[in-house]
Amino acid sequence: MSRTAPRRNSPAAGTRLTVASIGANEHLAFVRAQRSVSFLQTPAWGRVKTEWRNESVGWYDGPRLVGAGLVLHRPVPRLERYTLAYLPEGPTIDWTGDIDAWLDPLAAHLKARGAFAIRLCPPVRMDTWSAEQVKEGAADPGIRRLTDIPGRSPDPVGAHVSSRLRDAGWLPQSPEDGFGLGQPQFKYEIPLAGRTEDDLLGGMNQLWRRNIRKAEKEGVEVTIDADLAAFHDLYVHTAERDRFIPRPLRYFESMFAAMSAEDPERIRLYVARHEGDPVAATILVRVGAHAWYSYGASSTAKREVRGSNACQWSMIRDSLAAGCDVYDLRGITPTLDADDPHVGLIRFKVGTGGRAVRYVGEWDLPLRPMVYRAFDLYMRRRGR
């Protein structure tokens, strides 16, 4: 029987959904039929994460494919027969209705495939704060975190999902500071739908606008490039300066190869040059109407020409021209404490305008409790 991805992913009322493994082509057809799907939920991402076994799963309402997800199976040390089944920023299902109808058959399917637990990260917002609210909160010494700001905009779907997961025995995993080894719970996004370039510039603060103009005045040129080696040189330099562990060049080569093969417009490298010298480089990923700033790097020399701002503005403009609804600056921590070293991240991103968003976060469902406890103990001992 031929099964095709529908334009909508809501099952008929009262029907029993089934979950099965699906092929990459069927999964990709479903992704292409949606307005927005996380790039971490595309078949290509499974080919990027070579250290984990990957599986595409689909939800069926009779013959109709109504949901899909990428599962990354992470083996347990010394217990390779069992895996943690991880769905980063997924799955792509209807989160507004009866969640049990979606997640119960997923649990049965993955347990039969050897999973000792499921970890998922619903792409559902909990709270939203405007740039103005964040700025006011940062200026108030009595407010130390985003969640302390009065007047936030809670999302009823997010509240429903969080409550239902907890009631069904799922365990929240997102850390207090918003950053763990998984996906960040707090992010910064710029809405693009219905806006113009002038609107977006007008929403930025004076410093961002001045830096963009400075780059133009200094003759900084931003091109879409294929020179991953040049990017990686800048990236390693950035890692040494900012004290983080860089990924190897082969990781980015694999990422570009897998994602470009799935869609030639999926991933792009932007390089800013001043008088021929690379001064900044960024990676943009786009799936449907959602664009992500994925990686960035910059030289210590010539920082005054503002290559990083030039790269960001080029990516924002291209995302707008591509018809995207949102430009995603990825993770932030929720701190607004002036003494916290992480506060600079939100201060940088709030200058773009936009909004801070808290998502539902990551949740675990133990399927084999004894194995899950052993895994949790192992992760705690190694600092997760």
Side-chain angles (χ1 to χ4, degrees):
M1 184 186 311
S2 174
R3 290 170 166 173
T4 58
R7 290 281 172 184
R8 62 187 184 91
N9 59 351
S10 299
T15 60
R16 182 178 178 84
L17 299 175
T18 58
V19 171
S21 297
I22 59 175
N25 289 340
E26 190 170 18
H27 186 180
L28 183 57
F30 181 86
V31 168
R32 287 174 172 163
Q34 311 309 310
R35 182 69 181 167
S36 177
V37 173
S38 171
F39 70 92
L40 304 178
Q41 282 295 296
T42 62
W45 192 248
R47 295 191 290 274
V48 174
K49 307 304 286 185
T50 56
E51 69 274 25
W52 294 2
R53 176 169 59 86
N54 69 82
E55 175 191 9
S56 290
V57 296
W59 281 257
Y60 288 97
D61 177 5
R64 293 192 310 122
L65 182 63
V66 293
L70 175 71
V71 183
L72 300 176
H73 290 274
R74 178 178 183 173
V76 180
R78 296 184 295 277
L79 288 172
E80 282 72 18
R81 59 179 291 201
Y82 297 119
T83 64
L84 171 67
Y86 181 38
L87 291 88
E89 295 189 357
T92 307
I93 60 175
D94 179 7
W95 290 97
T96 64
D98 182 2
I99 297 173
D100 293 348
W102 295 90
L103 299 186
D104 287 352
L106 175 67
H109 171 82
L110 292 176
K111 186 173 184 179
R113 303 276 289 180
F116 70 88
I118 306 170
R119 176 168 296 171
L120 50 75
C121 185
V124 179
R125 297 184 181 95
M126 283 280 289
D127 296 289
T128 303
W129 299 267
S130 70
E132 197 57 40
Q133 286 176 305
V134 176
K135 292 174 190 174
E136 291 175 359
D140 186 339
I143 292 178
R144 303 175 67 86
R145 295 170 56 85
L146 283 172
T147 48
D148 296 335
I149 297 175
R152 67 181 187 269
S153 302
D155 190 306
V157 175
H160 163 71
V161 169
S162 182
S163 174
R164 189 65 209 111
L165 288 173
R166 196 180 301 275
D167 290 347
W170 291 77
L171 308 174
Q173 300 299 306
S174 296
E176 183 75 9
D177 64 3
F179 272 123
L181 292 180
Q183 303 309 311
Q185 184 179 16
F186 292 84
K187 300 180 185 180
Y188 207 85
E189 302 172 351
I190 304 174
L192 302 179
R195 304 177 76 187
T196 66
E197 287 186 15
D198 287 343
D199 293 335
L200 294 170
L201 277 172
M204 294 179 179
N205 68 14
Q206 188 176 19
L207 180 61
W208 261 86
R209 292 195 299 269
R210 185 166 63 240
N211 287 345
I212 289 170
R213 290 194 298 269
K214 173 76 169 176
E216 293 173 351
K217 183 179 179 180
E218 292 287 345
V220 173
E221 296 183 350
V222 179
T223 58
I224 296 173
D225 215 300
D227 192 351
L228 279 173
F231 160 77
H232 196 258
D233 287 344
L234 270 182
Y235 171 70
V236 170
H237 169 78
T238 304
E240 292 171 351
R241 183 187 67 219
D242 296 348
R243 299 180 182 178
F244 65 87
I245 299 174
R247 293 186 181 275
L249 175 59
R250 65 180 178 274
Y251 177 85
F252 294 100
E253 291 172 338
S254 172
M255 184 177 176
F256 269 77
M259 300 181 84
S260 297
E262 190 169 272
D263 185 332
E265 301 297 318
R266 177 66 46 82
I267 186 167
R268 288 178 171 178
L269 170 64
Y270 289 71
V271 180
R273 291 181 172 87
H274 179 257
E275 297 176 344
D277 299 324
V279 292
T282 50
I283 293 175
L284 177 74
V285 178
R286 180 168 64 86
V287 182
H290 200 124
W292 292 263
Y293 161 46
S294 185
Y295 285 92
S298 63
S299 65
T300 302
K302 294 189 173 183
R303 297 188 80 170
E304 71 279 2
V305 302
R306 304 302 178 186
S308 293
N309 295 92
C311 277
Q312 289 289 346
W313 181 231
S314 291
M315 294 197 299
I316 292 169
R317 292 174 66 195
D318 287 354
S319 300
L320 180 69
C324 290
D325 295 331
V326 65
Y327 178 78
D328 193 327
L329 285 153
R330 299 291 286 165
I332 54 174
T333 63
T335 184
L336 296 176
D337 185 349
D339 296 326
D340 191 315
H342 294 113
V343 75
L345 188 61
I346 193 169
R347 284 178 175 168
F348 170 77
K349 293 181 179 182
V350 78
T352 65
R355 63 197 179 195
V357 181
R358 178 170 68 154
Y359 281 80
V360 169
E362 295 192 328
W363 295 73
D364 283 5
L365 179 67
L367 301 175
R368 292 177 167 88
M370 289 183 63
V371 180
Y372 180 79
R373 284 195 291 271
F375 173 78
D376 188 55
L377 180 62
Y378 167 78
M379 294 300 289
R380 290 179 187 277
R381 284 177 174 172
R382 67 189 292 264
R384 300 195 79 85

PDB file of all heavy atoms in Angstrom, residues 89-110:
ATOM      1  N   GLU A  89      14.573  17.742  19.900  1.00  0.00           N
ATOM      2  CA  GLU A  89      13.607  18.713  19.366  1.00  0.00           C
ATOM      3  C   GLU A  89      12.506  18.017  18.568  1.00  0.00           C
ATOM      4  O   GLU A  89      12.078  18.486  17.522  1.00  0.00           O
ATOM      5  CB  GLU A  89      14.320  19.782  18.533  1.00  0.00           C
ATOM      6  CG  GLU A  89      15.251  20.641  19.382  1.00  0.00           C
ATOM      7  CD  GLU A  89      15.816  21.844  18.657  1.00  0.00           C
ATOM      8  OE1 GLU A  89      15.541  22.026  17.448  1.00  0.00           O
ATOM      9  OE2 GLU A  89      16.556  22.609  19.302  1.00  0.00           O
ATOM     10  N   GLY A  90      12.022  16.929  19.101  1.00  0.00           N
ATOM     11  CA  GLY A  90      10.975  16.185  18.437  1.00  0.00           C
ATOM     12  C   GLY A  90      10.244  15.307  19.437  1.00  0.00           C
ATOM     13  O   GLY A  90      10.509  15.346  20.645  1.00  0.00           O
ATOM     14  N   PRO A  91       9.287  14.521  18.884  1.00  0.00           N
ATOM     15  CA  PRO A  91       9.007  14.298  17.463  1.00  0.00           C
ATOM     16  C   PRO A  91       8.070  15.352  16.869  1.00  0.00           C
ATOM     17  O   PRO A  91       7.572  16.237  17.579  1.00  0.00           O
ATOM     18  CB  PRO A  91       8.327  12.935  17.477  1.00  0.00           C
ATOM     19  CG  PRO A  91       7.597  12.899  18.799  1.00  0.00           C
ATOM     20  CD  PRO A  91       8.500  13.625  19.759  1.00  0.00           C
ATOM     21  N   THR A  92       7.834  15.221  15.561  1.00  0.00           N
ATOM     22  CA  THR A  92       6.925  16.116  14.841  1.00  0.00           C
ATOM     23  C   THR A  92       5.545  15.483  14.825  1.00  0.00           C
ATOM     24  O   THR A  92       5.212  14.669  13.960  1.00  0.00           O
ATOM     25  CB  THR A  92       7.431  16.364  13.407  1.00  0.00           C
ATOM     26  OG1 THR A  92       8.788  16.816  13.457  1.00  0.00           O
ATOM     27  CG2 THR A  92       6.565  17.412  12.712  1.00  0.00           C
ATOM     28  N   ILE A  93       4.767  15.839  15.850  1.00  0.00           N
ATOM     29  CA  ILE A  93       3.412  15.310  16.005  1.00  0.00           C
ATOM     30  C   ILE A  93       2.503  16.468  16.398  1.00  0.00           C
ATOM     31  O   ILE A  93       2.956  17.594  16.607  1.00  0.00           O
ATOM     32  CB  ILE A  93       3.353  14.187  17.064  1.00  0.00           C
ATOM     33  CG1 ILE A  93       3.812  14.723  18.430  1.00  0.00           C
ATOM     34  CG2 ILE A  93       4.193  12.980  16.637  1.00  0.00           C
ATOM     35  CD1 ILE A  93       3.685  13.743  19.576  1.00  0.00           C
ATOM     36  N   ASP A  94       1.214  16.189  16.541  1.00  0.00           N
ATOM     37  CA  ASP A  94       0.264  17.189  17.015  1.00  0.00           C
ATOM     38  C   ASP A  94       0.301  17.204  18.542  1.00  0.00           C
ATOM     39  O   ASP A  94      -0.234  16.316  19.198  1.00  0.00           O
ATOM     40  CB  ASP A  94      -1.138  16.851  16.510  1.00  0.00           C
ATOM     41  CG  ASP A  94      -2.191  17.854  16.989  1.00  0.00           C
ATOM     42  OD1 ASP A  94      -1.791  18.878  17.592  1.00  0.00           O
ATOM     43  OD2 ASP A  94      -3.381  17.609  16.762  1.00  0.00           O
ATOM     44  N   TRP A  95       0.936  18.216  19.120  1.00  0.00           N
ATOM     45  CA  TRP A  95       1.086  18.300  20.564  1.00  0.00           C
ATOM     46  C   TRP A  95      -0.118  18.951  21.253  1.00  0.00           C
ATOM     47  O   TRP A  95      -0.139  19.065  22.483  1.00  0.00           O
ATOM     48  CB  TRP A  95       2.345  19.097  20.906  1.00  0.00           C
ATOM     49  CG  TRP A  95       3.612  18.368  20.565  1.00  0.00           C
ATOM     50  CD1 TRP A  95       4.371  18.505  19.450  1.00  0.00           C
ATOM     51  CD2 TRP A  95       4.259  17.370  21.370  1.00  0.00           C
ATOM     52  NE1 TRP A  95       5.459  17.660  19.487  1.00  0.00           N
ATOM     53  CE2 TRP A  95       5.412  16.954  20.660  1.00  0.00           C
ATOM     54  CE3 TRP A  95       3.989  16.791  22.617  1.00  0.00           C
ATOM     55  CZ2 TRP A  95       6.292  15.989  21.156  1.00  0.00           C
ATOM     56  CZ3 TRP A  95       4.857  15.834  23.113  1.00  0.00           C
ATOM     57  CH2 TRP A  95       5.989  15.437  22.387  1.00  0.00           C
ATOM     58  N   THR A  96      -1.128  19.352  20.485  1.00  0.00           N
ATOM     59  CA  THR A  96      -2.235  20.107  21.073  1.00  0.00           C
ATOM     60  C   THR A  96      -3.335  19.216  21.640  1.00  0.00           C
ATOM     61  O   THR A  96      -4.178  19.697  22.397  1.00  0.00           O
ATOM     62  CB  THR A  96      -2.869  21.048  20.036  1.00  0.00           C
ATOM     63  OG1 THR A  96      -3.451  20.268  18.978  1.00  0.00           O
ATOM     64  CG2 THR A  96      -1.831  21.987  19.444  1.00  0.00           C
ATOM     65  N   GLY A  97      -3.342  17.938  21.285  1.00  0.00           N
ATOM     66  CA  GLY A  97      -4.457  17.079  21.681  1.00  0.00           C
ATOM     67  C   GLY A  97      -4.093  16.051  22.735  1.00  0.00           C
ATOM     68  O   GLY A  97      -3.421  16.349  23.724  1.00  0.00           O
ATOM     69  N   ASP A  98      -4.520  14.803  22.489  1.00  0.00           N
ATOM     70  CA  ASP A  98      -4.310  13.698  23.421  1.00  0.00           C
ATOM     71  C   ASP A  98      -2.884  13.174  23.252  1.00  0.00           C
ATOM     72  O   ASP A  98      -2.599  12.371  22.365  1.00  0.00           O
ATOM     73  CB  ASP A  98      -5.334  12.585  23.141  1.00  0.00           C
ATOM     74  CG  ASP A  98      -5.204  11.417  24.103  1.00  0.00           C
ATOM     75  OD1 ASP A  98      -4.355  11.482  25.016  1.00  0.00           O
ATOM     76  OD2 ASP A  98      -5.938  10.423  23.929  1.00  0.00           O
ATOM     77  N   ILE A  99      -1.983  13.613  24.106  1.00  0.00           N
ATOM     78  CA  ILE A  99      -0.567  13.249  23.965  1.00  0.00           C
ATOM     79  C   ILE A  99      -0.350  11.754  24.164  1.00  0.00           C
ATOM     80  O   ILE A  99       0.492  11.134  23.506  1.00  0.00           O
ATOM     81  CB  ILE A  99       0.271  14.064  24.974  1.00  0.00           C
ATOM     82  CG1 ILE A  99       0.164  15.549  24.646  1.00  0.00           C
ATOM     83  CG2 ILE A  99       1.734  13.631  24.950  1.00  0.00           C
ATOM     84  CD1 ILE A  99       0.811  16.445  25.678  1.00  0.00           C
ATOM     85  N   ASP A 100      -1.112  11.147  25.080  1.00  0.00           N
ATOM     86  CA  ASP A 100      -0.951   9.709  25.317  1.00  0.00           C
ATOM     87  C   ASP A 100      -1.188   8.898  24.042  1.00  0.00           C
ATOM     88  O   ASP A 100      -0.536   7.876  23.816  1.00  0.00           O
ATOM     89  CB  ASP A 100      -1.922   9.240  26.401  1.00  0.00           C
ATOM     90  CG  ASP A 100      -1.590   9.824  27.768  1.00  0.00           C
ATOM     91  OD1 ASP A 100      -0.484  10.399  27.911  1.00  0.00           O
ATOM     92  OD2 ASP A 100      -2.415   9.711  28.684  1.00  0.00           O
ATOM     93  N   ALA A 101      -2.129   9.344  23.215  1.00  0.00           N
ATOM     94  CA  ALA A 101      -2.432   8.617  21.982  1.00  0.00           C
ATOM     95  C   ALA A 101      -1.227   8.578  21.052  1.00  0.00           C
ATOM     96  O   ALA A 101      -1.091   7.650  20.237  1.00  0.00           O
ATOM     97  CB  ALA A 101      -3.627   9.262  21.275  1.00  0.00           C
ATOM     98  N   TRP A 102      -0.345   9.566  21.166  1.00  0.00           N
ATOM     99  CA  TRP A 102       0.879   9.616  20.358  1.00  0.00           C
ATOM    100  C   TRP A 102       2.037   8.891  21.030  1.00  0.00           C
ATOM    101  O   TRP A 102       2.794   8.155  20.371  1.00  0.00           O
ATOM    102  CB  TRP A 102       1.277  11.073  20.108  1.00  0.00           C
ATOM    103  CG  TRP A 102       0.325  11.866  19.278  1.00  0.00           C
ATOM    104  CD1 TRP A 102      -0.738  12.605  19.722  1.00  0.00           C
ATOM    105  CD2 TRP A 102       0.334  12.009  17.855  1.00  0.00           C
ATOM    106  NE1 TRP A 102      -1.377  13.199  18.680  1.00  0.00           N
ATOM    107  CE2 TRP A 102      -0.739  12.858  17.516  1.00  0.00           C
ATOM    108  CE3 TRP A 102       1.155  11.520  16.837  1.00  0.00           C
ATOM    109  CZ2 TRP A 102      -1.022  13.223  16.200  1.00  0.00           C
ATOM    110  CZ3 TRP A 102       0.891  11.875  15.526  1.00  0.00           C
ATOM    111  CH2 TRP A 102      -0.189  12.711  15.217  1.00  0.00           C
ATOM    112  N   LEU A 103       2.212   9.116  22.330  1.00  0.00           N
ATOM    113  CA  LEU A 103       3.421   8.647  22.989  1.00  0.00           C
ATOM    114  C   LEU A 103       3.340   7.205  23.478  1.00  0.00           C
ATOM    115  O   LEU A 103       4.372   6.529  23.575  1.00  0.00           O
ATOM    116  CB  LEU A 103       3.766   9.578  24.150  1.00  0.00           C
ATOM    117  CG  LEU A 103       4.050  11.030  23.747  1.00  0.00           C
ATOM    118  CD1 LEU A 103       4.529  11.828  24.959  1.00  0.00           C
ATOM    119  CD2 LEU A 103       5.076  11.113  22.616  1.00  0.00           C
ATOM    120  N   ASP A 104       2.152   6.703  23.772  1.00  0.00           N
ATOM    121  CA  ASP A 104       2.043   5.306  24.218  1.00  0.00           C
ATOM    122  C   ASP A 104       2.502   4.325  23.133  1.00  0.00           C
ATOM    123  O   ASP A 104       3.292   3.413  23.420  1.00  0.00           O
ATOM    124  CB  ASP A 104       0.613   4.992  24.666  1.00  0.00           C
ATOM    125  CG  ASP A 104       0.264   5.646  26.005  1.00  0.00           C
ATOM    126  OD1 ASP A 104       1.181   6.213  26.643  1.00  0.00           O
ATOM    127  OD2 ASP A 104      -0.929   5.607  26.389  1.00  0.00           O
ATOM    128  N   PRO A 105       2.034   4.449  21.887  1.00  0.00           N
ATOM    129  CA  PRO A 105       2.535   3.519  20.861  1.00  0.00           C
ATOM    130  C   PRO A 105       4.015   3.718  20.553  1.00  0.00           C
ATOM    131  O   PRO A 105       4.705   2.766  20.178  1.00  0.00           O
ATOM    132  CB  PRO A 105       1.661   3.809  19.641  1.00  0.00           C
ATOM    133  CG  PRO A 105       1.073   5.160  19.874  1.00  0.00           C
ATOM    134  CD  PRO A 105       0.950   5.305  21.354  1.00  0.00           C
ATOM    135  N   LEU A 106       4.533   4.946  20.733  1.00  0.00           N
ATOM    136  CA  LEU A 106       5.974   5.175  20.557  1.00  0.00           C
ATOM    137  C   LEU A 106       6.758   4.392  21.608  1.00  0.00           C
ATOM    138  O   LEU A 106       7.764   3.742  21.288  1.00  0.00           O
ATOM    139  CB  LEU A 106       6.290   6.664  20.680  1.00  0.00           C
ATOM    140  CG  LEU A 106       7.780   7.020  20.640  1.00  0.00           C
ATOM    141  CD1 LEU A 106       8.372   6.740  19.268  1.00  0.00           C
ATOM    142  CD2 LEU A 106       8.001   8.481  21.034  1.00  0.00           C
ATOM    143  N   ALA A 107       6.297   4.445  22.861  1.00  0.00           N
ATOM    144  CA  ALA A 107       6.980   3.720  23.931  1.00  0.00           C
ATOM    145  C   ALA A 107       6.983   2.228  23.680  1.00  0.00           C
ATOM    146  O   ALA A 107       8.007   1.551  23.863  1.00  0.00           O
ATOM    147  CB  ALA A 107       6.309   4.042  25.275  1.00  0.00           C
ATOM    148  N   ALA A 108       5.852   1.688  23.235  1.00  0.00           N
ATOM    149  CA  ALA A 108       5.776   0.251  22.955  1.00  0.00           C
ATOM    150  C   ALA A 108       6.730  -0.132  21.827  1.00  0.00           C
ATOM    151  O   ALA A 108       7.430  -1.156  21.897  1.00  0.00           O
ATOM    152  CB  ALA A 108       4.341  -0.134  22.603  1.00  0.00           C
ATOM    153  N   HIS A 109       6.772   0.680  20.781  1.00  0.00           N
ATOM    154  CA  HIS A 109       7.646   0.396  19.641  1.00  0.00           C
ATOM    155  C   HIS A 109       9.111   0.432  20.057  1.00  0.00           C
ATOM    156  O   HIS A 109       9.890  -0.486  19.713  1.00  0.00           O
ATOM    157  CB  HIS A 109       7.388   1.414  18.520  1.00  0.00           C
ATOM    158  CG  HIS A 109       8.369   1.332  17.399  1.00  0.00           C
ATOM    159  ND1 HIS A 109       8.262   0.404  16.384  1.00  0.00           N
ATOM    160  CD2 HIS A 109       9.500   2.061  17.130  1.00  0.00           C
ATOM    161  CE1 HIS A 109       9.269   0.556  15.537  1.00  0.00           C
ATOM    162  NE2 HIS A 109      10.029   1.557  15.974  1.00  0.00           N
ATOM    163  N   LEU A 110       9.514   1.454  20.796  1.00  0.00           N
ATOM    164  CA  LEU A 110      10.927   1.602  21.135  1.00  0.00           C
ATOM    165  C   LEU A 110      11.375   0.596  22.184  1.00  0.00           C
ATOM    166  O   LEU A 110      12.524   0.127  22.158  1.00  0.00           O
ATOM    167  CB  LEU A 110      11.201   3.031  21.600  1.00  0.00           C
ATOM    168  CG  LEU A 110      11.072   4.093  20.498  1.00  0.00           C
ATOM    169  CD1 LEU A 110      11.261   5.494  21.069  1.00  0.00           C
ATOM    170  CD2 LEU A 110      12.072   3.841  19.369  1.00  0.00           C
TER     171      LEU A 110
END
